[in-house]
Amino acid sequence: MRSIKHITYIGCLLLTAATMVSEQATAATADSVSVTAGAGVVSSYMWRGTEQAGLSLQANASVEWKGAALSFTANNPMHKGETKEIVLRLEYRRWGANIGLIDYWHSGIDKKDRFFKYGKDDGPHKLELNAGYTHRWFSVQAYLCFFGNDFRPSLTEPQRAYSTYIELCVPWQFRHGLKVEGMLGICPWKSAGQYYGELVEENGKARPVITAEYLYAGGFSAVKAAVRVTKDISLPAGLQLPVFAELHANPYMQTANVSCGAAVRF
């Protein structure tokens, strides 16, 4: 909890400082600093085909200058016991292409929930490389995990999985600010995971059964098929209120979920 408060406090200080710099920068120039922030609520936090948490509060902020951007997002579940998440992202965008580094922190992994604890093979942080391209008619993004607890299920020597996720998004823009997005997420090879064992009674005898549970999938699979509808509502003082509804399915896990939410953006 202290880590969450510290990161929130630091984020507020950075956002305040960036806002002051932005206000002093020369207006209407390509070199000006762009600052955005928002906060909202979602009925369920869906991430790459799986439900990470139920009803959640979310916050985000970003600072961008000359194509380089630094941002953070936080997801705080309302139900006790669900995993909290903080994501820091550093990226550069040019001519529609983007490349970046993403740092994920999750609660419940470190006993003290320390934020500034990094471990190459364990710990609460995972690092990903991200590369992609955005066009008017589509966007494609690829993510590869290279640091942290990211190993394939094994009964012997753990093997780093380099869990990879690729997503294609096709947007449609309609009148009155209505936007529809179709998304397809692919796992190209076996991702990280772990084995679980249980005793199953058969013919009056108990026998051990071992099953594998994966971050994405146990091989090449479609792990996300989603449609999202978003509507931006203009508020006084230049604020925006995006509201959305999403049908989110995972063909690999054979699950489906409907989620909705709203956020204030400024």
Side-chain angles (χ1 to χ4, degrees):
M1 181 62 69
R2 290 182 178 178
S3 297
I4 297 289
K5 291 181 178 179
H6 290 165
I7 297 304
T8 303
Y9 178 67
I10 292 172
C12 290
L13 289 179
L14 290 174
L15 180 60
T16 302
T19 303
M20 294 174 63
V21 171
S22 178
E23 289 177 349
Q24 295 175 6
T26 303
T29 66
D31 295 339
S32 62
V33 177
S34 173
V35 179
T36 59
V41 60
V42 293
S43 61
S44 58
Y45 174 38
M46 303 299 299
W47 184 79
R48 299 179 184 176
T50 60
E51 184 179 12
Q52 299 293 307
L55 181 65
S56 301
L57 297 177
Q58 296 184 335
N60 63 82
S62 66
V63 180
E64 183 174 352
W65 180 68
K66 289 187 175 181
L70 174 64
S71 64
F72 90 92
T73 59
N75 189 80
N76 189 18
M78 300 297 291
H79 301 293
K80 187 177 181 180
E82 292 185 325
T83 302
K84 300 175 183 177
E85 180 185 80
I86 295 177
V87 182
L88 302 175
R89 183 190 299 259
L90 178 64
E91 64 179 333
Y92 182 74
R93 310 184 191 109
R94 188 75 171 180
W95 299 311
N98 65 277
I99 186 170
L101 175 67
I102 308 174
D103 180 356
Y104 296 91
W105 176 88
H106 295 100
S107 66
I109 298 176
D110 179 61
K111 292 182 179 180
K112 297 181 180 179
D113 273 346
R114 291 171 291 184
F115 183 84
F116 297 102
K117 182 182 185 301
Y118 285 80
K120 181 180 179 181
D121 299 331
D122 57 6
H125 285 271
K126 285 185 179 181
L127 299 182
E128 275 188 349
L129 291 175
N130 165 229
Y133 179 76
T134 300
H135 187 267
R136 178 181 178 184
W137 304 111
F138 71 92
S139 70
V140 59
Q141 298 291 329
Y143 307 85
L144 184 146
C145 182
F146 68 95
F147 181 94
N149 187 5
D150 184 71
F151 297 94
R152 290 176 177 171
S154 175
L155 298 176
T156 55
E157 188 70 21
Q159 181 182 4
R160 185 164 290 280
Y162 295 103
S163 298
T164 301
Y165 175 79
I166 302 171
E167 182 170 299
L168 173 68
C169 177
V170 179
W172 293 274
Q173 195 73 43
F174 296 95
R175 291 183 177 181
H176 310 296
L178 188 66
K179 183 179 181 181
V180 178
E181 296 170 285
M183 294 164 279
L184 177 65
I186 298 293
C187 170
W189 50 69
K190 184 187 293 186
S191 68
Q194 54 187 325
Y195 284 122
Y196 291 92
E198 61 179 341
L199 293 176
V200 176
E201 188 172 337
E202 188 176 276
N203 298 326
K205 296 182 179 180
R207 64 180 182 87
V209 175
I210 299 177
T211 58
E213 184 174 298
Y214 295 96
L215 174 65
Y216 300 132
F220 180 85
S221 300
V223 296
K224 175 181 176 180
V227 176
R228 172 180 285 215
V229 179
T230 306
K231 167 69 175 177
D232 282 348
I233 301 175
S234 298
L235 299 177
L239 300 179
Q240 293 290 323
L241 179 67
V243 296
F244 79 91
E246 178 176 306
L247 173 61
H248 198 116
N250 187 321
Y252 174 77
M253 298 180 66
Q254 298 184 8
T255 58
N257 189 292
V258 176
S259 62
C260 59
V264 176
R265 186 175 62 227
F266 52 92

